Each structure stands twice: as structure tokens, then as C-alpha cells.
Amino acid sequence: MGSLSIWHWIVVLAVVLLLFGRGKISDLMGDVAKGIKSFKKGLAEDEEPAKAPAAPPEAPRPLPSQTTSAAEAEKKPV
């Protein structure tokens, strides 16, 4: 009882065709296709900047505690 047979789907399809007609359905499907193409194009445009090479990372800066100890080590005679 829960599943729909092929006859149920045929009746539903007939009612939809009577309500909307063939022209409106084809126009609607064309609009859906244009929307999908636009969506895919938007996704492709968003991914292009991410593919561009990023600037090389900067060299790590020494911590202030490391710079003072290195400077003091240079001042001491060996």
C-alpha cells in the first residue's frame, strides 16, 4: 500500500501535463538547466583564485628571547 505502482505515476504525469502543458514544462526545464550551468560556472570562478600560486612564505622571525641570547653569545670572548 505504501509504494506507488506504474499506474499511479502515469496518472500523476497526465495531471501535470494537463495543468502545465508541454510548453511550460520545457521552459521550466530549460531554466533549470541554465541555473545549473550558472552554478557550475560560479563554482569554477571561485576555484580559480585558489589555484593561483601563493606568495612564498616569509622566513620565520626569531623570538625576542632567542635574539638576546644570540647577541650575548657573540659578545663573549671564547
Side-chain angles (χ1 to χ4, degrees):
M1 178 118 194
S3 65
L4 297 176
S5 69
I6 188 70
W7 294 109
H8 290 103
W9 289 111
I10 290 173
V11 170
V12 169
L13 181 63
V15 169
V16 168
L17 284 175
L18 286 173
L19 290 175
F20 296 109
R22 290 181 57 190
K24 288 183 182 180
I25 292 176
S26 64
D27 290 343
L28 178 67
M29 295 309 290
D31 291 341
V32 169
K34 287 179 185 177
I36 291 172
K37 286 180 184 178
S38 175
F39 179 73
K40 286 183 179 180
K41 184 179 177 182
L43 285 179
E45 289 175 358
D46 286 345
E47 290 178 0
E48 286 178 8
K51 291 181 182 177
E58 295 181 16
R61 297 180 185 166
L63 297 174
S65 61
Q66 292 175 345
T67 57
T68 55
S69 62
E72 290 175 3
E74 291 177 8
K75 291 181 183 178
K76 293 181 183 178
V78 180

